[in-house]
Amino acid sequence: MALNSCVFHLFYKFKVLVLVTLCLMVLWGTFSYFVDSRQEITKAKSMMDHFRKVTSLEDSQKEEKIKSIAKVPTVKSFQDHCPALSPYLRGASKLTFKASLTLEEVEKENPQVSKGRYHPTECSALQRVAILIPHRNREKHLLYLLEHLHPFLQRQQLDYGIYVIHQAGSTKFNRAKLLNVGYLEALKEANWDCFIFHDVDLVPENDFNVYMCDRQPKHLVVGRNNTGYRLRYQGYFGGVTALTRDQFSKVNGFSNNYWGWGGEDDDLRIR
């Protein structure tokens, strides 16, 4: 009986100890939960405050960006290219030449031309074209050509410049050398796409004969009135020719060795 009573008391104390331990563990767990919850709440508040600050900063940046955009002026879009065939072309026209024509009259008739330069305002020209005219003692021919050539080129919607290369003195005329000089001088002013080598006494009649360059050097004198609108001879490549910068560079320009009229154009065609 005494042994059983002792065992009973020991078992009872053990249960009490286990129960107390469990209560302490529950209390400790509850305390830890509240502490952790408080820390999480503090962290959450801190994150919300930070988020509000970031949002406020982003909103202010957006407002500043909107303000800055509002201050920037609107830039106009680039012009469209001019059409391959201008709507202003008239075709063949009968030319007239007034004996009393002056340079002042030519200038007055072409108010949009400045220092021999013109570009269309309604569109972007397909090519930038330099017209090179060798000249000496042909003032009246030059006036007639300029009078008709300016409106002719404007109807073709070209961005162009006309260069008159004058040879002084009384030595034999060297057309080829003048054109080589004109080519180099023109490139100092602009990056031209196309070069038209143009005799001073040839005036174009039909504006469908477009003064632009092609993939091959182009002869623009398809006929002359004093030859019945036929070529002067088979293979004739003189008068008015069109070459790109690359084409003229590949043939190394005109030969400088031709003094007097003729020969330099055939030499260029062969090369």
Side-chain angles (χ1 to χ4, degrees), residues 133-267:
I133 305 171
H135 171 264
R136 185 174 68 178
N137 300 331
R138 296 287 190 92
E139 281 70 22
K140 190 57 69 173
H141 281 144
L142 179 60
L143 284 178
Y144 293 153
L145 176 59
L146 294 178
E147 179 190 23
H148 292 282
L149 191 57
H150 276 298
F152 174 90
L153 297 172
Q154 290 166 28
R155 291 196 301 273
Q156 294 183 355
Q157 295 181 303
L158 296 177
D159 181 345
Y160 72 86
I162 295 180
Y163 296 85
V164 178
I165 308 96
H166 177 76
Q167 179 175 326
S170 57
T171 58
K172 283 187 176 181
F173 193 71
N174 192 323
R175 176 181 182 269
K177 185 173 286 191
L178 292 177
L179 291 174
N180 287 337
V181 170
Y183 170 82
L184 295 174
E185 290 299 315
L187 282 176
K188 293 178 182 179
E189 289 194 353
N191 188 25
W192 300 105
D193 303 311
C194 178
F195 294 85
I196 309 293
F197 304 96
H198 207 299
D199 281 354
V200 71
D201 58 350
L202 293 177
V203 181
E205 297 180 47
N206 192 326
D207 52 18
F208 279 94
N209 184 15
V210 181
Y211 273 35
M212 288 198 295
C213 289
D214 211 330
R215 284 179 286 184
Q216 295 292 331
K218 188 163 66 171
H219 191 209
L220 296 171
V221 181
V222 294
R224 301 168 61 147
N225 62 339
N226 61 354
T227 59
Y229 294 98
R230 295 188 299 270
L231 291 177
R232 294 175 63 184
Y233 53 85
Q234 187 67 31
Y236 174 62
F237 196 63
V240 184
T241 51
L243 286 87
T244 65
R245 181 176 179 176
D246 183 58
Q247 291 164 358
F248 195 69
S249 177
K250 282 182 177 178
V251 297
N252 197 28
F254 287 95
S255 170
N256 291 321
N257 298 324
Y258 288 89
W259 295 88
W261 284 101
E264 77 290 334
D265 44 9
D266 292 327
D267 182 282

Side-chain angles (χ1 to χ4, degrees), residues 89-159:
L89 301 182
R90 301 174 181 172
S93 58
K94 187 175 181 180
L95 303 180
T96 57
F97 305 102
K98 187 172 68 172
S100 60
L101 182 67
T102 64
L103 183 59
E104 288 71 23
E105 288 179 280
V106 175
E107 292 175 342
K108 188 177 180 179
E109 291 170 0
N110 299 277
Q112 293 180 300
V113 177
S114 176
K115 297 182 179 179
R117 299 280 298 273
Y118 169 88
H119 65 86
T121 57
E122 69 278 11
C123 57
S124 178
L126 296 177
Q127 290 187 12
R128 305 180 71 194
V129 183
I131 315 293
L132 309 181
I133 305 171
H135 171 264
R136 185 174 68 178
N137 300 331
R138 296 287 190 92
E139 281 70 22
K140 190 57 69 173
H141 281 144
L142 179 60
L143 284 178
Y144 293 153
L145 176 59
L146 294 178
E147 179 190 23
H148 292 282
L149 191 57
H150 276 298
F152 174 90
L153 297 172
Q154 290 166 28
R155 291 196 301 273
Q156 294 183 355
Q157 295 181 303
L158 296 177
D159 181 345

Side-chain angles (χ1 to χ4, degrees), residues 16-27:
V16 171
L17 180 62
V18 170
L19 184 59
V20 170
T21 302
L22 290 173
C23 289
L24 291 173
M25 290 177 67
V26 170
L27 289 173

